[in-house]
Amino acid sequence: MRLTQWGAALTGAAALLLTACTVVDLDEFGKPIMPADPNAKASFDNKTPQQIAQQTWQPRILDVARNHSLDASALSTQLNAPAAKPQSVFVRLTGKVERVDASNEREQKLVMTVNGQPVEIQSGPVMRGNAIRDAAGFRFDEFTNQVQYAQLSRALNREAVKHLPKIDDSWSGKDATVLFAATLNAGKAVDATALELKQETP
């Protein structure tokens, strides 16, 4: 084969290789971010817990909570007939705020009564528990590891605080509507965490 023919062949082969290449974005550590497989299961491998919380807040948390929350009657029914295992649910209550617990300014709570029992609802700025994550149905197999799964709870709790008004003693005795997540365990609502909080007009 002549030299010119070799050159043409090599040029053609190079062009073919370049055509077959796909440019892949790199993450913050310089590692390639592979395009998602449309047949793969849902995964948050390439996202931080904060990014997941922000991305899913409206569609997977608020929209679901607004459309599939228990009212006071349904919550009372579940508290009276507790399940064998703890379960987390979304709840919407409208009623009187019995009191505001501001004894710890970093973990303020308002207290409402359901089924004759006080329910403490966290409003921040620090909120604890996994109620939001678990009520929204996040599954461990969607995550890289246990650490990322656990950190999502904290990220969701912090995201909730961003959308809540600050409460103080003036809320005591007033009517309010609260949308929150709670874990039902042995007939009690624990780790109740506010998502939306509004004082009703008298």
Side-chain angles (χ1 to χ4, degrees):
M1 184 180 289
R2 295 180 191 173
L3 186 58
T4 54
Q5 291 176 317
W6 273 108
L10 287 172
T11 302
L16 184 62
L17 285 171
L18 286 172
T19 303
C21 287
T22 300
V23 178
V24 176
D25 292 331
L26 302 179
D27 65 14
E28 58 185 315
F29 304 108
K31 295 181 179 179
I33 300 173
M34 301 309 293
D37 178 352
N39 299 315
K41 65 183 181 182
S43 172
F44 298 115
D45 286 351
N46 296 317
K47 293 183 174 63
T48 66
Q50 291 75 21
Q51 289 172 328
I52 298 168
Q54 292 168 0
Q55 174 188 322
T56 61
W57 186 253
Q58 187 68 44
R60 193 156 174 177
I61 309 297
L62 282 187
D63 289 350
V64 173
R66 289 168 178 166
N67 294 321
H68 301 284
S69 57
L70 303 179
D71 60 13
S73 176
L75 177 60
S76 294
T77 298
Q78 293 211 21
L79 292 175
N80 285 330
K85 295 181 179 179
Q87 57 178 326
S88 296
V89 296
F90 291 120
V91 182
R92 184 191 301 276
L93 293 181
T94 297
K96 186 173 75 171
V97 176
E98 299 295 336
R99 63 185 175 87
V100 171
D101 181 355
S103 56
N104 183 339
E105 63 179 16
R106 289 185 55 76
E107 298 182 12
Q108 297 190 343
K109 304 169 185 174
L110 56 82
V111 182
M112 301 177 79
T113 300
V114 178
N115 200 32
Q117 297 183 20
V119 176
E120 294 185 344
I121 304 168
Q122 305 175 89
S123 66
V126 174
M127 302 199 288
R128 303 182 185 279
N130 305 319
I132 299 177
R133 183 196 68 190
D134 295 346
F138 287 100
R139 305 182 316 278
F140 174 71
D141 62 7
E142 295 176 273
F143 298 87
T144 305
N145 52 43
Q146 180 67 40
V147 174
Q148 187 192 35
Y149 185 56
Q151 288 177 342
L152 178 61
S153 285
R154 292 193 289 273
L156 289 169
N157 291 345
R158 286 194 292 268
E159 186 67 24
V161 172
K162 294 179 185 178
H163 305 277
L164 296 172
K166 184 166 179 60
I167 63 171
D168 54 33
D169 287 336
S170 68
W171 286 67
S172 296
K174 305 284 180 60
D175 284 341
T177 295
V178 191
L179 181 66
F180 63 96
T183 299
L184 309 185
N185 188 8
K188 294 184 178 180
V190 299
D191 291 335
T193 308
L195 306 175
E196 293 181 333
L197 179 56
K198 184 180 71 170
Q199 200 172 93
E200 295 296 330
T201 304

